[in-house]
Amino acid sequence: MAQNTVEKTPVTLLGLGAMGAALARTWLAAGHPLTVWNRTPVRAEALAAAGARVADSAAAAVAANTLVVVCLLDDASVDEVLAGADLADRDLVNLTTSTPAQARARAEWARERGARYLDGGIMAVPPMVGVPEAGGYVFYSGSRELLERHRRTLGVPVGVTYVGEDAGFAALHDVALLSAMYGMFAGAAHAFALIRKEDIDPAALAPLLADWLVAMAPAVHRTAGQLRSGDYTQGVVSNLAMQVAGTPTFLRTAEQQGVTPELLHPYFQLMRRRLAEGGGEEDLTGVIDLLVR
């Protein structure tokens, strides 16, 4: 057992919130020597009992190992925590949620301090960490060479998906997918609101709603193909003119059910704008161009 532990890449982890603690437990279980630091030391006690070395400062934790993983609250926290650390010749992997611009600036910040840099966007919640069948993964962007060097170690908690040399791409993919998720949640919220006052069990609607969303999901491939080709009429099933003509029914139904249409209005307005510009024969893809400034 000791021999296997020695062979595993040592990891320093800064930040032991719910996600950081889950990452830490998984690396420890896999036999990786782990040094941890957290602003609130009590959060490290259980990990110390499991074999982690607890550093008394972030700088000491960084000094302990070449591979340094950061999982903090926000980009400002990274500045604060690493202010006194010597990052020269360190492999810095930043899993802190940030914007693409912040990630690019952080990559330059790391290079100026002599560190190699990878940015990451975590597509998982803590219960998915260490559970391969749960399907969680991290988007990584920045140095491909650095990712390949540590792919096996970084892939222990969750899967690894590389999205490009541009350090901002991981954050961009992260926010893009989560934005779509919130749009889906908004639609589901409206659907449940419509039946809220009726003698309809939400638990009976839920599987119908889930199956319908799954059936509609492949439409994103058609949208991607239309964006790539520039032909928004390619493979259209229900054109924009037909769909706009149907929107009053959705709005009247909401009114009759005593439900505010505020989750539907913005999208319907964009659909009408695109129709007014002559996109009646298109798919809904043209709405995307209206969103881009």
Side-chain angles (χ1 to χ4, degrees):
M1 182 66 180
Q3 182 178 359
N4 288 340
T5 300
V6 171
E7 291 174 353
K8 299 290 181 69
T9 300
V11 180
T12 284
L13 175 62
L14 306 179
L16 297 175
M19 181 59 73
L23 295 172
R25 287 191 297 269
T26 308
W27 274 314
L28 283 172
H32 287 267
L34 182 68
T35 300
V36 298
W37 175 87
N38 193 70
R39 197 187 305 270
T40 306
V42 69
R43 290 188 177 178
E45 291 178 357
L47 295 170
R53 175 193 169 204
V54 181
D56 58 9
S57 70
V62 170
N65 299 305
T66 298
L67 178 57
V68 178
V69 179
V70 181
C71 189
L72 298 170
L73 176 63
D74 53 26
D75 186 66
S77 300
V78 178
D79 271 330
E80 295 170 11
V81 168
L82 293 178
D86 181 3
L87 295 176
D89 203 33
R90 289 296 179 263
D91 295 339
L92 184 62
V93 179
N94 186 14
L95 301 184
T96 303
T97 300
S98 63
T99 69
Q102 286 173 329
R104 291 168 182 138
R106 185 62 59 192
E108 181 59 30
W109 176 92
R111 280 192 291 270
E112 290 172 354
R113 287 157 178 78
R116 296 166 290 272
Y117 185 82
L118 271 176
D119 202 78
I122 303 175
M123 303 306 296
V125 292
M128 299 170 70
V129 175
V131 185
E133 59 270 24
Y137 61 92
V138 174
F139 284 125
Y140 286 102
S141 59
S143 169
R144 178 184 286 275
E145 186 277 330
L146 183 57
L147 175 65
E148 294 308 321
R149 184 186 311 169
H150 295 298
R151 178 183 286 273
R152 181 172 296 180
T153 301
L154 295 175
V156 168
V158 289
V160 171
T161 299
Y162 182 69
V163 290
E165 293 280 345
D166 186 319
F169 278 7
L172 185 56
H173 280 71
D174 180 22
V175 173
L177 266 61
L178 292 176
S179 296
M181 177 193 76
Y182 281 115
M184 179 188 71
F185 286 167
H190 186 85
F192 280 118
L194 289 175
I195 68 162
R196 191 69 174 139
K197 296 179 180 179
E198 302 289 350
D199 186 20
I200 297 175
D201 185 354
L205 180 68
L208 301 174
L209 181 56
D211 289 348
W212 178 248
L213 292 175
V214 168
M216 292 298 100
V220 301
H221 299 294
R222 185 172 68 246
T223 300
Q226 291 170 349
L227 288 169
R228 175 179 282 182
S229 70
D231 180 4
Y232 298 171
T233 65
Q234 173 186 335
V236 172
V237 177
S238 299
N239 67 31
L240 180 64
M242 180 185 302
Q243 296 203 50
V244 169
T247 58
T249 298
F250 298 104
L251 298 176
R252 283 196 299 269
T253 299
E255 181 181 5
Q256 292 167 9
Q257 294 300 112
V259 173
T260 173
E262 60 191 292
L263 291 175
L264 298 181
H265 260 315
Y267 193 63
F268 285 175
Q269 288 172 347
L270 288 168
M271 290 167 60
R272 288 192 292 271
R273 276 178 55 195
R274 188 67 181 184
L275 178 63
E277 292 177 357
E281 297 304 313
E282 297 176 349
D283 214 326
L284 294 170
T285 306
V287 167
I288 296 168
D289 290 341
L290 298 180
L291 295 173
V292 179
R293 297 178 182 176

